[in-house]
Amino acid sequence: MQDAEDVRRIALSLPDTTEKIAWSMPTFRVAGKMFATLPEDETSIAVRCPKEERDELVLAEPEKFWIADHEAQFAWVRVRLAALEDEGELRDILADSWRQAAPTRLLDAYPELGLPSDS
């Protein structure tokens, strides 16, 4: 099962990522822009996700994805760490969120990051 340390290790392995405590929880940022948080008891993460995709994810896999009430108006989704299949899925989710926050210079420098793995 994936845990907070896996989230931290993978997030910090992404280019130009830093960790910063905000709202009393760890947040991960690329070039200063937040792309993931470890809220509450660190059993889930919040990541960037376009609203139309987010709604589809929640409907398709409600045991894995959900929308926190206070994040409903934002393009973020929660992911239950215990519901993830493996580290590869966690890496894909974090990298996809990273791509949504990363500046163009990083996207151009790391075109493979955030694209679904062929596994």
Side-chain angles (χ1 to χ4, degrees):
M1 185 177 90
Q2 308 310 298
D3 63 18
E5 286 311 308
D6 295 315
V7 171
R8 181 170 282 110
R9 176 176 46 79
I10 293 169
L12 291 174
S13 75
L14 296 169
D16 205 12
T17 294
T18 57
E19 181 176 349
K20 179 180 178 183
I21 299 297
W23 308 287
S24 303
M25 70 178 132
T27 66
F28 300 93
R29 299 160 189 258
V30 55
K33 200 168 177 186
M34 195 164 44
F35 71 91
T37 68
L38 261 169
E40 289 92 35
D41 58 3
E42 298 188 346
T43 60
S44 69
I45 57 174
V47 292
R48 290 177 174 267
C49 184
K51 286 185 182 179
E52 56 281 357
E53 289 178 31
R54 174 185 78 173
D55 296 342
E56 289 176 25
L57 282 174
V58 171
L59 285 172
E61 297 184 85
E63 71 289 345
K64 189 179 294 186
F65 300 101
W66 89 100
I67 302 165
D69 290 341
H70 66 281
E71 295 167 348
Q73 71 271 33
F74 303 107
W76 287 77
V77 69
R78 296 282 182 103
V79 184
R80 289 179 181 87
L81 294 175
L84 295 176
E85 293 172 27
D86 55 25
E87 185 173 303
E89 186 177 21
L90 175 60
R91 182 177 299 282
D92 287 349
I93 288 168
L94 286 169
D96 182 61
S97 187
W98 178 91
R99 282 187 70 76
Q100 293 175 59
T104 305
R105 67 178 170 79
L106 287 174
L107 296 177
D108 291 346
Y110 300 93
E112 73 288 353
L113 274 177
L115 302 176
S117 19
D118 295 330
S119 50

